[in-house]
Structures are given as C-alpha cells and as structure tokens.
Amino acid sequence: MTHAFYSDAAEKILRELSVGERTAVMSVRASLEEDPTPDHARGLPDADPRSESYAIDLLPEQTGGRGITAVYRHNRDLDAVLILWLIAGP
C-alpha cells in the first residue's frame, strides 16, 4: 500500500471546500493509496527523475459542487504520494 499525504497548501484548500467536495477529494486520496497511477490520471512534466507528477480531474457531478483538480507527485522509491495542490474551479 502506498502512503498518500496532503501538502500544507492542499490541507488549507481542503478545509475551504464544501462537504461534498471534501468527500470527493478524500476518496481520491484513498484510491491513490491503492493505485498511485490510475488510468484517469493525467501525466504532468516533472523535473525530478525520481518522481512522476499527475493530475486527476473531478467533475462537478462527482463533487456536488465545483470541478476540482488534484495535482500530486508519486515517488516510487518512497512508495508515497504527495497531493501538492487542489485547484477548485468556478
């Protein structure tokens, strides 16, 4: 099992989300602990050769509110995921 954590910035944003939005983001975190590179994750450029960066988009239908993008980095050596940013749309 991979460990998944929130960055300080992501934790701050998480507190500002509605209950439905927060629940959707927390389910993404839980799913990343089972599979850190799911098929629906979009790869992003990463400057660190020891990690890979991804984004997962949550639609408003999934959050019960705004669309949210979770940007995270996966480090295979540490077997860990760090959710860097939560970007909430209008």
Side-chain angles (χ1 to χ4, degrees):
M1 181 169 114
T2 301
H3 298 284
F5 305 94
Y6 296 108
S7 70
D8 290 343
E11 280 187 359
K12 181 178 185 268
I13 296 165
L14 187 64
R15 289 190 299 267
E16 297 173 3
L17 299 177
S18 71
V19 173
E21 293 168 341
R22 192 175 316 118
T23 301
V25 169
M26 292 170 74
S27 72
V28 166
R29 179 184 178 260
S31 71
L32 290 174
E33 289 183 334
E34 297 300 321
D35 181 9
T37 56
D39 291 337
H40 61 277
R42 191 168 27 100
L44 298 173
D46 195 335
D48 187 346
R50 295 168 293 170
S51 67
E52 299 169 329
S53 293
Y54 298 94
I56 293 179
D57 298 315
L58 296 168
L59 300 174
E61 297 81 30
Q62 296 169 286
T63 67
R66 300 171 286 182
I68 297 174
T69 299
V71 177
Y72 69 96
R73 181 172 287 152
H74 174 233
N75 186 305
R76 290 180 193 263
D77 295 338
L78 298 175
D79 195 21
V81 167
L82 179 62
I83 299 172
L84 301 166
W85 292 100
L86 298 172
I87 304 165

